[in-house]
């Protein structure tokens, strides 16, 4: 009986220690990046793309992820292997995610691999604030609060393959949202710089947008293509 009691005590101590480790890791961030990508730029590269099984996504920015980040520019990742992605927990969000968080990876798929990667790598590091359902629903809600495509189109910046000033792109988004974005570019199959991803920052409680404490590394050309899709 004494041996059994000792085993129970050891198990409780182990679970407590594990919970503290997970909680510590999940709190180790200062803000989030909400990252949205332009599908035309994802597809217009030598790598190419594949449309989801549900068909070609709308010509709009789609969520890449909601990423916990630190003020020094570093970020936590893969914080809790004991809580893997479970598609059943977001079954009520699937339709909206297929629209607003589509996958373009090859071969064509239903998005679960993409969403699972985002949860396992980034979402598990925000468990002190967001459970699995809240992680995805919060990102979807934040996306609707700032319409990036409309912000650009309102300033005459169209997804038509033309080049636009990088500063004009930033000004258009800041003018519509009130927050300074960070722009990530990639190169098309001819090596031209193109508008790829837009980063906006969210506070550590994931309740609203803030000015970014720090921007990622990297740069774009002074003028970039905005390819059609």
């Amino acid at each position: 009986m004494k041996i059994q009691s000792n085993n129970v005590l050891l198990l409780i101590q182990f679970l407590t220690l594990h919970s503290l480790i997970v909680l510590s890791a999940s709190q180790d961030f200062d803000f989030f990046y909400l990252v949205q990508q332009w599908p035309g730029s994802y597809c217009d590269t030598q790598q190419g793309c594949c449309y989801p099984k549900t068909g070609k996504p709308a010509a709009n920015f789609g969520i890449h992820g909601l990423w916990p980040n630190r003020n020094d520019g570093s970020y936590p990742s893969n914080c809790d292997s004991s809580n893997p992605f479970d598609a059943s927990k977001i079954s009520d969000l699937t339709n909206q995610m297929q629209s607003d968080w589509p996958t373009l990876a090859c071969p064509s798929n239903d998005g679960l691999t993409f969403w699972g990667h985002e949860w396992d790598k980034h979402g598990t590091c925000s468990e002190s604030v967001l459970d699995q359902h809240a992680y995805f629903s919060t990102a979807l809600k934040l996306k609707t609060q700032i319409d990036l495509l409309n912000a650009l189109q309102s300033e005459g910046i169209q997804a038509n393959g033309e080049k636009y000033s990088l500063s004009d792109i930033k000004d258009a988004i800041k003018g519509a949202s009130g927050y300074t974005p960070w722009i990530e570019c990639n190169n098309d199959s001819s090596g031209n710089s193109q508008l790829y991803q837009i980063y906006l920052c969210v506070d550590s409680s994931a309740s609203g947008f803030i000015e970014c404490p720090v921007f990622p590394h990297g740069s774009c050309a002074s003028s970039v293509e905005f390819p059609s899709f």
Side-chain angles (χ1 to χ4, degrees):
M1 181 67 70
K2 183 176 181 180
I3 293 176
Q4 184 177 3
S5 297
N6 287 340
N7 288 340
V8 171
L9 180 60
L10 287 172
L11 177 60
I12 292 173
Q13 290 174 336
F14 171 78
L15 293 175
T16 300
L17 178 60
H18 178 263
S19 297
L20 289 172
I21 291 172
V22 169
L23 181 61
S24 175
S26 67
Q27 290 177 325
D28 186 22
F29 66 95
D30 300 304
F31 67 96
F32 292 90
Y33 285 126
L34 177 67
V35 185
Q36 298 183 58
Q37 65 183 14
W38 179 247
S41 299
Y42 185 102
C43 294
D44 190 18
T45 63
Q46 291 181 342
Q47 174 181 322
C49 70
C50 294
Y51 298 152
K53 291 181 178 179
T54 51
K56 182 179 179 179
N60 201 353
F61 285 90
I63 297 171
H64 186 166
L66 184 64
W67 302 344
N69 216 77
R70 304 187 185 106
N71 288 339
D72 64 3
S74 64
Y75 61 90
S77 64
N78 301 104
C79 295
D80 185 10
S81 60
S82 70
N83 186 17
F85 176 69
D86 181 352
S88 68
K89 293 182 177 180
I90 60 166
S91 58
D92 61 312
L93 302 175
T94 300
N95 288 341
Q96 187 179 358
M97 290 185 65
Q98 289 172 341
S99 173
D100 293 344
W101 201 325
T103 178
L104 292 167
C106 295
S108 299
N109 61 85
D110 54 13
L112 294 178
T113 299
F114 180 27
W115 305 333
H117 168 78
E118 291 303 307
W119 168 255
D120 293 340
K121 182 175 181 179
H122 301 288
T124 56
C125 299
S126 63
E127 289 175 337
S128 61
V129 178
L130 304 169
D131 62 22
Q132 193 166 147
H133 185 276
Y135 174 76
F136 291 101
S137 63
T138 298
L140 292 168
K141 181 180 178 181
L142 288 166
K143 180 185 186 303
T144 66
Q145 292 179 11
I146 298 176
D147 188 333
L148 295 178
L149 185 59
N150 183 66
L152 295 172
Q153 291 176 336
S154 295
E155 296 299 322
I157 300 171
Q158 306 286 340
N160 55 9
E162 298 296 322
K163 286 189 175 182
Y164 297 93
S165 163
L166 182 63
S167 61
D168 286 346
I169 292 172
K170 291 180 179 179
D171 288 346
I173 295 169
K174 184 172 184 178
S177 68
Y179 301 100
T180 305
W182 190 77
I183 308 299
E184 179 182 354
C185 297
N186 65 0
N187 294 322
D188 65 14
S189 56
S190 300
N192 298 307
S193 182
Q194 56 186 3
L195 173 62
Y196 175 41
Q197 298 198 130
I198 297 176
Y199 292 59
L200 288 167
C201 290
V202 178
D203 64 39
S204 60
S205 65
S207 59
F209 290 97
I210 59 171
E211 279 293 327
C212 289
V214 63
F215 290 122
H217 297 295
S219 62
C220 297
S222 59
S223 65
V224 298
E225 289 182 359
F226 192 11
S228 60
F229 180 65

